Amino acid sequence: MMPNDAPIRIWGVIPAAGMSRRMGTAKQTLPFRGSTVTGRVARAMMDAALDGVIVVTRSELRAALNLPDDPRLGLVFNDDPESEMIDSIRLGVRHIDSAAHPGHGERS
């Protein structure tokens, strides 16, 4: 257990904001096993009983991702075309941290 006997929570981050420049089409929205690539990855993570999953994507792709309707799923947007995958991961982790610690880092 963690301090104060808080249960350990396990979250996943799916970086899905890339531009897919070499492929020429958004990989995130390609059909895969009855969903999209991103939708299938999100479902697999939910099936693994994670406490939550954050999908970091571009706002323009949101409707095309076919994400599951699950309260454990969160969306974060990274619309910076110059960003790297690590930037999306950082955004996802920051979202998890702020959800777990509301008000953390705010000045009074």
Side-chain angles (χ1 to χ4, degrees):
M1 288 283 181
M2 294 175 61
N4 301 326
D5 293 327
I8 295 173
R9 300 187 69 203
I10 301 174
W11 287 68
V13 174
I14 301 172
M19 299 300 289
S20 304
R21 287 181 183 96
R22 289 176 294 181
M23 187 160 209
T25 189
K27 291 180 278 198
Q28 305 91 318
T29 63
L30 289 176
F32 185 66
R33 295 188 179 180
S35 184
T36 62
V37 171
T38 306
R40 190 63 220 127
V41 170
R43 284 172 177 82
M45 292 176 105
M46 296 294 187
D47 290 347
L50 296 181
D51 292 300
V53 174
I54 303 301
V55 177
V56 183
T57 191
R58 298 192 318 268
S59 55
E60 68 193 54
L61 298 178
R62 178 183 189 167
L65 294 177
N66 190 29
L67 296 172
D69 183 19
D70 190 305
R72 297 173 296 157
L73 183 76
L75 280 175
V76 174
F77 297 107
N78 179 358
D79 289 323
D80 179 0
E82 301 302 317
S83 69
E84 301 288 331
M85 187 184 310
I86 190 66
D87 299 316
S88 289
I89 293 168
R90 286 180 180 132
L91 285 170
V93 169
R94 266 188 243 140
H95 181 82
I96 293 165
D97 186 51
S98 65
H101 305 100
H104 177 72
E106 292 180 8
R107 295 181 186 193
S108 37

